[in-house]
Structures are given as C-alpha cells and as structure tokens.
Amino acid sequence: MAATGHYLATAAAYRILEQGGNATDAGVAAGIVINVTLPQYTSFGGVAPIMVHDAARGETATIAGLGRWPKAASVDYFNANHGGVLPGGVLRTVTPSAADAWLSAIQLYGTMTFEQVVAPALELAEKGFPIPHSLHRALAREEDKFSNGSRDPRHWSATMEVFFPGGKALGTGDVAIQKDLANTFKRLVSAERSASGRGRVMGLQAARDLFYRGDMAHKMVEFNRAQGGLLSLEDMATFEAKLEPPVSIDYKGIEVFTCGPWCQGPTTIQALGILSGFDLQGMGHNSPDYLHTVIESLKLAFADRHSYYGDPDFVDVPMKGLLDPDYAAQRRQEIDSTRACPDMPRAGDPHAYQAYNGQNGNRAKPAHPEPVVGAAEPDTSYICVVDQWGNGFSATPSDGIGGAAVVPGLGFAMSTRGYQTWLDPDHPACLMPGKRPRLTPNPAMAFRDGKLWMPFGTPGGDVQCQSMTQLFLNVVEFGMDVQQAIEQPRVASWSFPDSGFPHGYTPAAMSAEGRIDPDTIRELERRGHVVEVWDDWTPRMGALNAITIDREKETLEVGADLRRDNYAMGR
C-alpha cells in the first residue's frame, strides 16, 4: 500500500513494490517523483526527514534529512550586515539534504540500486508530465515576483526556462519537461554504475560523492556564491543526513514514534500525552469541550517546543522529561476547561522529570514572545508505504522553487530551510555555524503490540502536528477508519510563534474549517478563542495520508486527503 501527495508518486511507489522492492525502495522512488511533480513544494536539493521501520530487524529509525547552516553563517553576520533580519532567498540556504537522505535510506534499509528507484522520476523529468491546476496556481503566484522585478533574471533563468516559458507560468494541462533535472539523475546513475563492481553500497556512495564532493557540489556552491550566499565546498563535503533514534510515548497501549527535536515532531506526542488523561470520547467528537481541550493541549506542547526544541547536536533538549507521563499530567492540570489561555502558555519545567546534566548547553529560555505579523511560507508533501513484509516508510519532503532559484545545469533548487531559525541567542533554535534549523516537516509511525500499525503524516507547516494529532484521535478514540478520520473537519491554533522568520504570533488565534458547527464556533469564541473560519475543505489544514495494518485480518486500509492532490493505491 502507498499513499502520497501526487498520483504519479503513488504510482511510482506501487511500481517498485510490484518489481519486488521493499517499502523503503518504494518510498524513495515516490519521494524523488514528488521532487519532480510537486516542484512548488519539494526539491531534490531540499529537505527530506524520513522514518523507516524494518520488520525483520525489529528496528525503527529516522534519517535526519535536514541541512546545516554554512560555517560562515552566524547571528553576528546577520546583525552586522542585515539589521538582525534573515532576508529572503539565498542567505537562508542550508546544505541540500534530500539527496543524501534518499540515498542513505536505500543504502541502509532498501534492496535496490539508485538506478532502479530513480527510474520513474527520470522518465517524468525527461518526458514530462501534465501540469495540474494546483501547480499552475502556485506558479501563477510566483509569476508576479518576476513581473514586478523583485527577482534578478540572471539567477532565475533556469527556473524561468522550465516553469515560466516566455515569462508566463505553465498552464493547466501544459507538459513540464525538466531536462537538467533528468540529466542530474542520469549522471548520478552513471556514477553509481562506475562503482557497481564493488557492490550496491559502493555504487550508492559514488552517486553521493558526485553530489556532495564532485562537480555537482562545485556548481551548487558557485551558484550560491554568485548570489551572495555563504555555502562552501567544505559545508557540502562534510554534510551527512544522520541516522538518529526516534522518540516515542505510549498512548493507551499504542506506541507513537516521531523524529527527534531537530524537528517539531515531538510536539505531536507531547500533545497526545497531555490528552491521554481526558475522557475525549465522553466529550463527543468535535464538540466545544473536545476542540477546546485539543487546542489547549496543543498550545502547551507548542510552548515547550518554543522553549526547548533545537538541534540536539548543539542543545541539551530535556526530551525524557518532556515525554514523561507525570510531566504530561502536570501540564494537563494547567488547562482551564471553561477558558482559553489568552496567549501562548508559559513553558513547563521538564528537568525535574529526568536526570539533567547540562553538558552541551544552558537552561536559558527565550523571552515570552510579543505579537508579530508573519506571512505563510511555501509548503511540503508527504509519503507513506507499507510492503508485504510489514516494513514501513514515512517521509515529509519539502523546499520548492519559490524560496530559491533552480541551479542552472542541475535542475533543482537548494534548501532555504534556514528561514526556520531564530536570531535570539537564548532561543534553542538560534542560528549557529553548522547547526540545523528546527524543521516543521515531521513524519510519524504508530505501533501496536510492538508491530507497525500506522505510518502517518502531512504537509502544512505548523499545522502538521495539529492535523496529525486530530487524525490519530479520530482513529484511536472514535473508531474511524483512516479515510473517515482524514475527511473530518479540523481546527488549528496560532497562539505561538510561527516556525518561519519573522515568527508571526497572534495570541489566542485559532482556525476552523467551515464544516465545524457554527454553534460550536460561537462557544469556542465565548471561551476566549479568537476563531477564523476557513473554507470547508482547505489545503491550509494540511493533506494527511495514513495506512493502517490489521494483523488479525491481514489487511491494509489507506486514507488520502482530498484537500490536495493526494492519491492512494494498494492490493
């Protein structure tokens, strides 16, 4: 079974499964197709956080497909040269990480070669695919930036050539052909073949070396530097998409895994830990009591995210304490069932719930935030796969062509994920040379009786953990199948600083899809929530995919979100 953010990516995953590949082979194939077919959301030079479950090994791991700040970047640099602001564009560039994440995944947990898994994406890049209306709309929004002269045509020529021929965005039904990207895939395949006599792993390493140490690395660095960027060949050569353990909680006998605090993933399980102590079923699905409790629990988790989450290579994140059931119980007591917290709650103190030694950082916290106006940033996509052996794959690739120019001759944009960084030296996600920004994309998996039960995830920036929490509760607490769970109307809080610079923050703000009962909205407003009603089925609430495994019946169920172009396939 496979479900992804684009029907051609789902078809690619299924094709690989039919050819005998496992979930990781299929997931990587789908991910690279997503890089081709959803260029507004993702890039082969972007980010790709991955979670893999290997059933035979009994192993669940994450691959931190997230780039690092160049060694030349620092808070002092931006204070001295840009007035304490992270300007849009090239200065937000971190090392491209998706390529290494895809290659590392198939090296560690796959069975196929890069040549095999990239074949569907190579065909689509070389021969083209028809532009759906959703991509046309995204390109049309970007077109205005070219017409108003805010982009230097010297640097955006490769983007213009593919997606804006004649200065106009490709229309719905037009065929997008990406010859440079196809050639990049061919060159990586050729590098792999050149070392194939030494085995599959060495072939994959040869492809990786071409990207991070060879001619491709030189082209990326030269292009970045020509625009005033800070990336160096050393930054590229020393980058590694690290294999890291996931973090987890037990929710009423179901173990839920996310990536670590280098992303926002633990927010989901922190919120679930708080919610586990409430009688949610007794409140009733999407009732005022239920939605108020969900929103207030999420706000507590986001408050801890703001004060504690950051790259654990640089920051001591008290993860054990944050996920401790007793800490969740303490946070639960802070919720007023009749009144919304008027702003972001204060962070808790998880250190009392773990042995804390403070070796790699201090316990300074950022100042409580003031309201800030911010704009929505480009979005993301999602992939999940389960194979016949019970292996699972869950990934949330991101970083499209809106944030950075396509590199001439290579056909992809480099990650500008640096925008999810703070310049406050007391913030755990503060910029430092070589440090990873705190990432919003965050795949997840849930397990029953020690066996994979449900990979799930969504795009949507700061909405991701909120939509994922509601999906999980719809299935576990209210007995819905995953498609029903995905189609339920959703809500989201904005009463915390946005992950993207300048970190917009609107105290007490929340959003609700228009299908939420108007009387429920009025009651939430009476309790102090400032509610904005969105469209009935809005992509702003994300685009969930999930697969569940019924071990007794030996069946799979899948759900794909109709809020975007998601598609599911299986047998």
Side-chain angles (χ1 to χ4, degrees):
M1 193 81 77
T4 82
H6 193 281
Y7 74 97
L8 290 172
T10 301
Y14 197 72
R15 168 177 163 182
I16 296 297
L17 292 172
E18 290 286 87
Q19 291 173 354
N22 68 12
T24 296
D25 298 319
V28 171
I32 303 176
V33 167
I34 288 280
N35 294 157
V36 176
T37 59
L38 291 178
Q40 75 272 39
Y41 296 151
T42 81
S43 170
F44 192 65
V47 299
I50 297 169
M51 184 172 289
V52 174
H53 175 67
D54 187 299
R57 300 184 212 173
E59 181 176 317
T60 304
T62 73
I63 296 172
L66 168 61
R68 296 182 180 274
W69 274 102
K71 290 181 173 59
S74 66
V75 171
D76 289 344
Y77 171 86
F78 284 101
N79 285 340
N81 295 281
H82 299 283
V85 170
L86 281 171
V90 70
L91 284 171
R92 298 179 176 188
T93 301
V94 296
T95 42
S97 56
D100 192 31
W102 300 137
L103 290 164
S104 295
I106 55 175
Q107 176 183 327
L108 295 168
Y109 295 101
T111 65
M112 289 183 162
T113 64
F114 179 74
E115 181 174 8
Q116 289 172 299
V117 301
V118 82
L122 173 54
E123 291 168 10
L124 290 165
E126 189 169 42
K127 299 177 182 178
F129 67 96
I131 294 286
H133 185 56
S134 54
L135 176 51
H136 166 68
R137 287 200 313 268
L139 294 176
R141 288 193 294 269
E142 295 298 320
E143 183 184 310
D144 294 340
K145 297 177 184 177
F146 294 104
S147 60
N148 67 20
S150 63
R151 286 178 169 169
D152 188 334
R154 294 174 300 171
H155 302 310
W156 291 80
S157 59
T159 309
M160 294 287 290
E161 181 181 346
V162 174
F163 299 106
F164 304 90
K168 301 295 292 182
L170 288 172
T172 302
D174 287 346
V175 175
I177 295 174
Q178 301 172 69
K179 292 182 179 178
D180 284 349
L181 184 56
N183 189 51
T184 289
F185 294 152
K186 288 178 180 178
R187 292 183 61 200
L188 292 169
V189 167
S190 179
E192 180 184 48
R193 284 178 179 172
S194 70
S196 60
R198 292 180 286 158
R200 188 179 73 96
V201 170
M202 293 307 297
L204 292 167
Q205 185 61 47
R208 186 190 183 282
D209 286 345
L210 173 60
F211 191 95
Y212 286 94
R213 297 170 179 268
D215 175 67
M216 290 185 184
H218 284 264
K219 278 188 167 62
M220 282 183 264
V221 169
E222 289 166 6
F223 184 62
N224 181 266
R225 291 283 187 166
Q227 300 173 73
L230 304 174
L231 194 67
S232 72
L233 288 172
E234 182 186 2
D235 296 323
M236 291 293 295
T238 56
F239 177 74
E240 177 186 5
K242 293 176 61 180
L243 186 71
E244 299 191 8
V247 296
S248 67
I249 65 155
D250 183 287
Y251 184 94
K252 301 181 181 181
I254 299 170
E255 196 167 12
V256 190
F257 287 82
T258 70
C259 298
W262 49 270
C263 75
Q264 66 167 336
T267 307
T268 300
I269 53 178
Q270 267 203 261
L272 288 174
I274 296 168
L275 287 161
S276 66
F278 290 103
D279 179 12
L280 301 176
Q281 294 178 29
M283 294 177 184
H285 183 257
N286 278 2
S287 68
D289 285 345
Y290 175 77
L291 293 178
H292 172 79
T293 303
V294 168
I295 288 293
E296 293 301 293
S297 298
L298 284 163
K299 284 160 67 174
L300 288 167
F302 279 119
D304 284 346
R305 180 191 76 164
H306 183 67
S307 287
Y308 297 112
Y309 291 19
D311 183 351
D313 289 347
F314 288 75
V315 180
D316 270 340
V317 183
M319 208 70 252
K320 183 178 183 294
L322 288 166
L323 300 181
D324 189 280
D326 291 335
Y327 178 70
Q330 176 194 315
R331 296 294 269 163
R332 190 179 306 127
Q333 294 173 5
E334 299 177 36
I335 295 176
D336 184 337
S337 63
T338 65
R339 196 72 190 161
C341 183
D343 56 6
M344 184 181 77
R346 298 286 170 174
D349 184 6
H351 298 101
Y353 298 87
Q354 68 173 41
Y356 180 78
N357 56 29
Q359 289 178 345
N360 298 317
N362 56 51
R363 290 167 62 165
K365 293 182 182 179
H368 200 69
E370 299 293 330
V372 174
V373 176
E377 293 287 346
D379 218 322
T380 301
S381 193
Y382 177 73
I383 301 144
C384 56
V385 183
V386 172
D387 66 24
Q388 61 182 309
W389 303 285
N391 302 309
F393 184 90
S394 183
T396 315
S398 193
D399 293 351
I401 59 173
V406 170
V407 182
L410 296 182
F412 57 79
M414 290 186 287
S415 175
T416 53
R417 189 53 58 167
Y419 78 89
Q420 293 189 323
T421 293
W422 272 255
L423 298 180
D424 172 6
D426 290 329
H427 198 283
C430 177
L431 189 158
M432 293 180 69
K435 188 178 179 182
R436 295 173 289 186
R438 193 194 71 206
L439 184 66
T440 46
N442 67 105
M445 288 183 176
F447 291 73
R448 276 182 162 153
D449 301 320
K451 295 181 179 179
L452 178 63
W453 170 57
M454 182 173 72
F456 65 109
T458 180
D462 291 305
V463 162
Q464 290 180 39
C465 294
Q466 308 191 62
S467 290
M468 291 164 70
T469 296
Q470 290 168 83
L471 161 68
F472 181 87
L473 295 174
N474 288 346
V475 176
V476 173
E477 294 286 355
F478 297 99
M480 300 180 195
D481 66 46
V482 282
Q483 189 63 46
Q484 290 174 314
I486 287 169
E487 292 183 10
Q488 296 303 305
R490 299 198 284 265
V491 297
S493 172
W494 303 102
S495 191
F496 51 82
D498 185 281
S499 291
F501 193 88
H503 310 298
Y505 166 50
T506 308
M510 65 169 285
S511 303
E513 287 189 301
R515 292 175 293 137
I516 300 289
D517 185 86
D519 289 340
T520 296
I521 298 294
R522 284 190 284 272
E523 174 58 21
L524 290 170
E525 290 175 331
R526 190 192 68 77
R527 297 187 193 191
H529 299 279
V530 179
V531 185
E532 180 182 6
V533 178
W534 286 354
D535 292 342
D536 286 1
W537 299 88
T538 175
R540 297 162 74 187
M541 283 293 182
L544 289 156
N545 289 318
I547 300 168
T548 53
I549 303 171
D550 188 319
R551 299 284 174 177
E552 291 184 2
K553 296 179 181 178
E554 296 186 340
T555 59
L556 301 174
E557 289 186 351
V558 66
D561 206 328
L562 52 80
R563 291 170 177 84
R564 300 196 193 179
D565 296 334
N566 293 21
Y567 197 81
M569 184 182 294
R571 70 170 175 86

